[in-house]
Each structure stands twice: as structure tokens, then as C-alpha cells.
Amino acid sequence: MFDAAVFGSLFLTLFVIMDPPGVTPIFLALTAGRPAKVQRRMAFQAVCVAFGVISVFGLVGHQILDYLHVSVPALMIAGGLLLLLIALDLLTGKTDEPKQTKDVNVALVPLGMPLLAGPGAIVSVILAVQDADGFEGQFSVWTAILAIHTVLWIVMRYSLVIIRVIKDGGVVLVTRLAGMMLSAIAVQQIINGVTQVIQGS
């Protein structure tokens, strides 16, 4: 009923892409000056928005691709290139932190989307749902999606405590390691896409 390999693979991929430790300082910057109760509520709202977006693409991603006449190998290659760009930003520290605005609920935009539910996460979920076999595979995929969003909520919910423990240097280190892992995942995804194109021709 549960495929640990499928769960572990998707959870690790989403962990690297959505980067809970790296999101922590951005979340704190966006919610600075607000009461702790408001910060906790915004953490929950951001995770709910991200989960909703990811779920929609997980459920109807194929229909969207069919409507746009986009093949899965093309999506894999494009997604791999996009993940590689994100990985390079993580490795070089050139990621831009979104700025806080008064007119927009930052828990929805940009925190929920596109920071958490970004293109990389969406592509990974669409492909994972497509590759999952039977009920066991699907259950494992959706369990991984739910698990990573739970981790995101816990990290942001207790972000003040986490920052005091790992310090700014710890966040930078984890972000760099995530960039290295994500670059390897991106290259493998590009290779898989090119392989499918060659096999289909």
C-alpha cells in the first residue's frame, strides 16, 4: 500500500526545490513587525496556497499539457533547465528575496506562490503523478506532497526558534548543499527527457 522509494524520491526532490531552511529567512523578512499570532497564521495560509496549487497541477496536469500540446519529454527538459537555473542561484547566492508590500497578503503572493509552489515543484509533481503506478504509487506520491507541506508549515511556524539554533551561517550552508543536490536532479531530468525523445524518434 506504500512505496517507500517513490515517497522518498519525490519528498527529497520537493525538499530540495521548495527548500524549507532557505524559506525561513525570507518568511521572517516578509512577516517582520507582525505579532507572533499573525506570523503563525500567515505560515499556515502560505502552505495552504502552495498545497492547493500543487494539488491542482497534480490532478489535472495532463489535461493542461494536452491542451497546450506539450509533450512530457519537452516538459522534462524544460523543467530540468529551470531547476538547473534555480540550483545555480542557490549555489551562487543570487536568489532575490521578495519585498514586502502593504497591499498584498504576502502569505499568498509571493510566499505561497511562486516561492513555495514554483515551476520546479509543479513540474516535479506532474511527472511524479504520471510515473506512479497503481494505487500504491499514487498514494505514496500524495503522501510525499502532504509530508513536504507539513514540513514547510512546521519550519515556518517555528522559524524564530530554528534561526536561533542554526544561525545565518547554517541557513547558507543548507542552501548551498540544496543547490548541489538540485543541480544533479536537474541534469538527470534533462538526460531522461532527451533519452525519451531519442527513443520516440
Side-chain angles (χ1 to χ4, degrees), residues 128-144:
V129 171
Q130 177 207 353
D131 294 338
D133 296 326
F135 175 79
E136 181 178 307
Q138 292 293 334
F139 178 78
S140 301
V141 165
W142 287 101
T143 302

Side-chain angles (χ1 to χ4, degrees), residues 64-177:
I64 295 174
L65 293 181
D66 291 340
Y67 179 77
L68 297 175
H69 303 290
V70 176
S71 66
V72 172
L75 183 65
M76 292 176 67
I77 295 172
L81 292 173
L82 180 61
L83 294 183
L84 190 57
L85 292 175
I86 296 173
L88 292 175
D89 281 342
L90 291 175
L91 287 169
T92 58
K94 293 181 179 178
T95 50
D96 295 323
E97 295 187 4
K99 297 180 180 179
Q100 180 177 343
T101 60
K102 296 181 179 179
D103 299 330
V104 178
N105 184 350
V106 294
L108 309 181
V109 178
L111 192 54
M113 182 180 180
L115 191 59
L116 296 181
I122 290 172
V123 168
S124 298
V125 167
I126 291 177
L127 295 177
V129 171
Q130 177 207 353
D131 294 338
D133 296 326
F135 175 79
E136 181 178 307
Q138 292 293 334
F139 178 78
S140 301
V141 165
W142 287 101
T143 302
I145 294 172
L146 181 61
I148 189 60
H149 283 85
T150 302
V151 170
L152 284 166
W153 175 75
I154 292 174
V155 168
M156 289 190 292
R157 169 68 172 74
Y158 298 100
S159 56
L160 294 174
V161 177
I162 293 174
I163 283 293
R164 287 199 295 266
V165 172
I166 67 175
K167 309 295 184 182
D168 292 341
V171 172
V172 173
L173 176 61
V174 172
T175 301
R176 297 297 183 272
L177 292 174

Side-chain angles (χ1 to χ4, degrees), residues 20-36:
V23 166
T24 300
I26 300 176
F27 171 76
L28 292 174
L30 289 172
T31 60
R34 292 179 170 87

Side-chain angles (χ1 to χ4, degrees), residues 177-199:
L177 292 174
M180 291 179 60
M181 297 175 65
L182 182 57
S183 62
I185 293 172
V187 171
Q188 186 61 55
Q189 189 164 304
I190 293 172
I191 292 173
N192 293 341
V194 172
T195 301
Q196 289 192 22
V197 170
I198 294 175
Q199 291 176 346

